[in-house]
Amino acid sequence: METLMLFTAIRFYWESSDTNLISGSLFIKDGPLTLRGQYSKLVPPIRSFLEYAKTLGRPVHVIGQEKTGAFADHLESIVRFAPPLERGAKPSFSVLTHDYVRREVYRSPDMSNPYGSRTNWGEKVYLNLDPGCYMVINVPTGEYRAEGAFPTQQNLIGFSRILSTLPSLSSHKFEGALFPVELANGVASMSSYPSAKVLQLFAGF
């Protein structure tokens, strides 16, 4: 549902009479750009659309943010060695290749299937904005390639623009928080509503 809602907004911007609107926007998903099980059937058409938009000169800028899981845990274990080490210094990032993911994150270099080929429509990036704000983000590439050295920074759609935008969206209220995600979670939090009211909203009465 989150992916469908995200692409509803993308479609609305794509069909706007202002053809520059879509590429002047950043779409943020709370969670990885991944679909599993029966929903993984959507991954190839999503990749195809993003590749088509890129070749058309109307790139769609999307990121997903992972706050838990294997990648978040791995980043937390190594981020203390990465610059910047003080506020105001230039942010740093690392684009994770498929080989790196297998060797360092999953510790399974001999996986039989290409990493993420069936499930991921975004690739992993470690981003360190300042000593108190680091995060795992996913950025689409459009087409998928199974090579171990894929992806590079150049393969990530609109990455330079994304990188220049995220510092202005970072929040220090929570570790690695982004304002849009923080605000959306605050509005949608189940704890904000009495359980009976949630049931009424869901049932439509």
Side-chain angles (χ1 to χ4, degrees), residues 169-182:
L169 299 179
S170 66
S171 166
H172 288 87
K173 184 175 181 180
F174 302 104
E175 187 175 276
L178 295 173
F179 279 121
V181 175
E182 183 181 307

Side-chain angles (χ1 to χ4, degrees), residues 63 65-66 75 125-129 133-137 166 170 176-178:
I63 66 167
Q65 184 187 12
E66 298 186 45
L75 175 58
V125 179
Y126 287 166
L127 179 61
N128 193 13
L129 295 177
C133 187
Y134 52 89
M135 63 191 73
V136 182
I137 62 171
L166 287 182
S170 66
L178 295 173

Side-chain angles (χ1 to χ4, degrees), residues 5-17:
M5 290 175 67
L6 176 70
F7 275 91
T8 297
I10 290 174
R11 186 185 68 174
F12 179 80
Y13 277 52
W14 180 265
E15 295 176 347
S16 170
S17 58

Side-chain angles (χ1 to χ4, degrees), residues 1 7 12 14 21 35 38 42 56 62 74 83 85 90 102 108 135 144 160 170-171 194:
M1 288 300 298
F7 275 91
F12 179 80
W14 180 265
L21 184 61
L35 289 166
Q38 60 182 337
L42 294 173
L56 205 64
V62 185
H74 183 256
L85 301 178
K90 186 178 180 180
R102 292 181 175 195
S108 301
M135 63 191 73
Y144 173 87
S160 60
S170 66
S171 166

Side-chain angles (χ1 to χ4, degrees), residues 178-191:
L178 295 173
F179 279 121
V181 175
E182 183 181 307
L183 292 172
N185 286 340
V187 171
S189 174
M190 294 287 283
S191 62

Side-chain angles (χ1 to χ4, degrees), residues 80-150:
R80 65 184 181 276
F81 303 111
L85 301 178
E86 57 185 30
R87 291 275 175 87
K90 186 178 180 180
S92 66
F93 65 89
S94 179
V95 180
L96 307 191
T97 65
H98 297 170
D99 280 345
Y100 183 89
V101 170
R102 292 181 175 195
R103 185 179 65 251
E104 301 296 336
V105 180
Y106 288 141
R107 302 295 179 94
S108 301
D110 299 322
M111 292 168 65
S112 57
N113 295 317
Y115 164 74
S117 62
R118 298 180 181 178
T119 58
N120 295 350
W121 55 278
E123 300 287 349
K124 313 293 184 181
V125 179
Y126 287 166
L127 179 61
N128 193 13
L129 295 177
D130 65 49
C133 187
Y134 52 89
M135 63 191 73
V136 182
I137 62 171
N138 296 191
V139 183
T141 59
E143 69 173 357
Y144 173 87
R145 299 213 301 266
E147 298 97 286
F150 183 84

